Amino acid sequence: RGIVVILGLDSWDGDGVDDISDGTASAQIINRFVHALQYLADGEKFMQENATKPGVKTTASGMQYKTIEAGTGKTPGPQDQVTVNYRGTLIDGSEFDSSYKRGKPATFRLDKVIKGWTEGLQLVKEGGKIQLVIPPELAYDRGPMAHRTLIFDVELISVGGGKQAQSTRGEKAGE
């Protein structure tokens, strides 16, 4: 109800985001603000529920993770290059990114990605699989994923680029 007063709206049921559509720049700003608040509230609720699930751990930063499959290789450091296969989804299950769909793994340095990835991939060894639930403050601060809680299912293929990019099942990566 406080949001309704601050934004000068007649009403807001709190169950979803109602767009203001008078076409003005002010309306667009207000819509973005209301959407951001809804994303934050939905993400907080999701993380509270997720924290009670078996195997889910929460780090000091607030990120949640669950080890799906323990790896046996090296553990990356915060500046290491890694090769991974991954699937990124929103809390409603809709996929927004996938190396599997592109048909090849992704390689990047951990100090060049969102904070949740830098922290989360240091919790898994080569050959391991982990699910990361990343709160907005450790994810993107701009663009369509801003203010959103993100879920990444990640397979760490290699650290340092030394191994050929293959999945832990022996299949070609991305299949």
Side-chain angles (χ1 to χ4, degrees), residues 113-152:
V113 293
I114 60 174
K115 293 175 187 175
W117 272 69
T118 304
E119 178 182 356
L121 285 175
Q122 292 180 76
L123 301 171
V124 65
K125 294 178 182 292
E126 283 178 325
K129 295 180 182 179
I130 192 168
Q131 182 177 71
L132 306 174
V133 179
I134 302 176
E137 58 272 16
L138 299 177
Y140 301 100
D141 57 358
R142 295 184 182 168
M145 296 301 130
H147 313 294
R148 299 203 186 213
T149 297
L150 306 176
I151 303 168
F152 288 95

Side-chain angles (χ1 to χ4, degrees), residues 97-127:
D97 195 10
S98 173
S99 67
Y100 295 104
K101 281 195 174 175
R102 286 191 298 277
K104 69 178 201 172
T107 300
F108 49 80
R109 282 180 41 140
L110 286 183
D111 59 350
K112 303 294 182 192
V113 293
I114 60 174
K115 293 175 187 175
W117 272 69
T118 304
E119 178 182 356
L121 285 175
Q122 292 180 76
L123 301 171
V124 65
K125 294 178 182 292
E126 283 178 325

Side-chain angles (χ1 to χ4, degrees), residues 1-4 9 11-18 34 37-39 41-42 45:
R1 295 195 187 279
I3 295 169
V4 173
L9 304 175
S11 66
W12 183 44
D13 61 16
D15 293 331
V17 177
D18 297 320
V34 170
L37 290 175
Q38 189 69 49
Y39 297 148
D42 291 348
K45 180 181 177 190

Side-chain angles (χ1 to χ4, degrees), residues 60-113:
S61 70
M63 184 187 70
Q64 296 175 348
Y65 69 98
K66 180 177 181 178
T67 300
I68 306 301
E69 188 175 308
T72 58
K74 295 188 287 187
T75 302
Q79 296 180 338
D80 282 339
Q81 178 173 292
V82 296
T83 299
V84 299
N85 268 319
Y86 69 93
R87 178 177 183 254
T89 61
L90 300 175
I91 60 174
D92 67 2
S94 59
E95 184 175 285
F96 63 87
D97 195 10
S98 173
S99 67
Y100 295 104
K101 281 195 174 175
R102 286 191 298 277
K104 69 178 201 172
T107 300
F108 49 80
R109 282 180 41 140
L110 286 183
D111 59 350
K112 303 294 182 192
V113 293

Side-chain angles (χ1 to χ4, degrees), residues 21-44:
S21 56
D22 71 3
T24 66
S26 295
Q28 292 172 1
I29 291 168
I30 291 168
N31 280 332
R32 282 196 297 265
F33 180 72
V34 170
H35 281 88
L37 290 175
Q38 189 69 49
Y39 297 148
L40 292 169
D42 291 348
E44 180 64 30

Side-chain angles (χ1 to χ4, degrees), residues 161-175:
K163 288 186 181 180
Q164 183 178 356
Q166 290 186 351
S167 77
T168 58
R169 294 182 303 273
E171 302 164 357
K172 282 184 176 177
E175 289 187 347

